[in-house]
Each structure stands twice: as C-alpha cells, then as structure tokens.
Amino acid sequence: MQPLRPYVLTIAGFDPSGGAGVLADCKTFEQHGVYGFGVCTAWTVQTDDRFLNIHWLSEEQIIEQLEPLLGKFVVSTCKIGVINSPQTLLRVIRFLKEYNPAIRIVWDPVLKASAGFEFHEVNTFHNLEEILTEIALLTPNYHELQQLQLITGEDLVKDDFAVFCPVLLKGGHRPDAPGTDTLYEPGGLTVIEAGVDKVFQKHGSGCVLAAAITARLAAGVPLKKACRLAKQYVESFLNSNQSLLGYHSL
C-alpha cells in the first residue's frame, strides 16, 4: 500500500474550460503526487480565449467550504488565486492559520484575466502589507507587480531583496527579460532562465506555475528548487500542444 500523499489546497475560481483556477490547479497537484482539495471563490463564464462574466462567492461561502476540510485534514500548503477582495483574502488567510499556523501560502494575485477582463480596481485594495507578511510566496507577472506596488506606495522588491515576503516575478510579460523568472527573497535574488527557446502560450499558465510550486513545497522541496522545477513543468505544459489549452504531464 502506498503512503498517504501530502494534502494541499487551492482556493480559486471555477473555470469551465479547465484551463485555469481550481480545475487546472488540481490537475497540477495530481501530476505532482499530492492530494489536492479545491475551494471555489467564484464561478466564471469563459472559454480559453473569452472571458464573459464572474460571479463571486462571499467570504462566508468560502469559509463554509474550508471549515470541514481543515477540521479533518492537515493541509501543509495552499495556493490562493482570484478572490473577491483583499479583505476576504486576509480573512481567509487568518482562518487557514487558525487551523495550521505553519501553513505555507502561495498567492497568485490574479488582477486581470488573460482575455482582458479586469477583476479589481486598484483603489479597492487595502490591507495589502498585512497580507504579504502572512504568505510564503507572491507570484505576480510584470503588470501585476506594478499594480501592487502602486497600491502599497513602495517597492515590493528593493535593491534586489524582497521587502515583505518572497516574490517570484514571472517572465511571461516582462519587457526587460522575456521568459526569465526572478525569485526575490530577503537574502537576495535568484534568476531562473527559460529552459526552452520557444513556447506556445496557454490559458492559465500562471495558475499552473503557482500550483506546481505549492505542490513541491508540500513535498518538502526548498523554495528555490520548487520554483525552478515549477518553471520546467510549465514549459512542458506550454509546449504540450499548439492550442490555448495545455496538457498536464510530469
């Protein structure tokens, strides 16, 4: 009989196409040999290339899904994606830590759908610094990092060091270093260069990257190595076919 797998959690939106959100995260978890739980924050109306609408779940509805899972299982790592407000995000993080103070949380700050739909206005964000000090990793793309820094009024990475929490700046939209990820930690930075010359863009690739890191952390892999391995996984996902919907394999 095989030993029990680590339990990991995604708190994210439901995408009917399966390319992003809870469905994509659980596909990624399964490939990485961890057992994934999925808590829904919203249900969306979308395909791989069109985003039509989003219907948010309330803080109470999210907590209601979490409570029985956390009451029965020890969840060591959690990935959080799109959520209706920073206030809800902070409450959810604190609820997670009531059950396991040592839980490691990866926040993928989804502010805009790849199809162009804006989820939040920047001026609605509050408590951001409180959120960042509670998490193990932030995984923004270039544009998301710029928006978050506007909210805080200061750099989240300064002089090549992380200010509030480790930050993995994804390379997909970077004008200065396309395809290159940079991990900023309190002790300095690590550059993670692309392992392939060309990729085919995929719907939900940011979700998949954050979920792969979350799974690796649950398996005891150190953060730097987890980020490197996750990048390799995403590159394989991107090049699995030429459509916008990728196939998962490790």
Side-chain angles (χ1 to χ4, degrees):
M1 182 180 295
Q2 292 185 348
L4 292 177
R5 296 181 175 192
Y7 296 114
V8 299
L9 173 66
T10 172
I11 304 174
F14 178 80
D15 168 13
S17 79
V22 168
L23 291 179
D25 294 344
C26 285
K27 293 176 188 178
T28 304
F29 292 157
E30 189 71 17
Q31 289 296 324
H32 283 79
V34 298
Y35 193 93
F37 298 129
V39 165
C40 190
T41 60
W43 60 271
T44 68
V45 183
Q46 65 175 307
T47 66
D48 56 341
D49 64 350
R50 295 178 66 211
F51 197 103
L52 303 171
N53 207 351
I54 188 166
H55 301 273
W56 295 107
L57 273 70
S58 68
E59 175 184 315
E60 291 74 22
Q61 290 170 318
I62 296 169
I63 296 292
E64 184 179 12
Q65 295 173 78
L66 281 171
E67 193 161 21
L69 291 172
L70 298 177
K72 181 173 182 179
F73 303 99
V74 177
V75 177
S76 61
T77 61
C78 173
K79 178 241 166 169
I80 302 179
V82 70
I83 201 162
N84 66 1
S85 72
Q87 292 73 28
T88 297
L89 174 58
L90 185 59
R91 177 68 186 96
V92 166
I93 288 171
R94 288 175 174 168
F95 188 79
L96 291 169
K97 293 200 168 186
E98 287 175 16
Y99 281 87
N100 181 7
I103 192 170
R104 301 180 76 183
I105 298 169
V106 175
W107 178 31
D108 186 30
V110 183
L111 305 180
K112 182 178 180 179
S114 56
F117 189 95
E118 298 274 359
F119 293 121
H120 302 290
E121 294 290 336
V122 170
N123 60 12
T124 66
F125 272 69
H126 305 284
N127 309 111
L128 187 57
E129 293 180 16
E130 290 181 75
I131 291 167
L132 296 175
T133 56
E134 295 279 0
I135 64 176
L137 181 67
L138 177 73
T139 62
N141 62 34
Y142 177 81
H143 300 299
E144 289 164 344
L145 181 63
Q146 302 309 305
Q147 287 183 283
L148 292 173
Q149 291 184 152
L150 280 174
I151 296 165
T152 61
E154 60 180 295
D155 292 340
L156 302 186
V157 292
K158 188 180 297 183
D159 299 325
D160 297 336
F161 296 93
V163 177
F164 298 105
C165 67
V167 176
L168 179 67
L169 174 59
K170 297 178 288 193
H173 299 277
R174 290 182 66 173
D176 57 334
T180 299
D181 296 352
T182 304
L183 174 63
Y184 297 89
E185 298 180 275
L189 65 80
T190 301
V191 175
I192 306 173
E193 296 180 351
V196 293
D197 294 329
K198 181 181 178 181
V199 295
F200 298 96
Q201 294 303 311
K202 293 287 179 289
H203 171 53
S205 57
C207 299
V208 172
L209 178 69
I213 294 170
T214 304
R216 293 289 187 180
L217 292 176
V221 177
L223 181 59
K224 286 181 186 177
K225 186 175 181 180
C227 291
R228 290 187 186 278
L229 291 173
K231 186 169 183 66
Q232 293 173 14
Y233 183 83
V234 167
E235 288 175 341
S236 174
F237 170 77
L238 292 171
N239 285 335
S240 62
N241 66 68
Q242 296 185 30
S243 79
L244 287 173
L245 294 175
Y247 306 145
H248 290 260
S249 62
L250 189 61

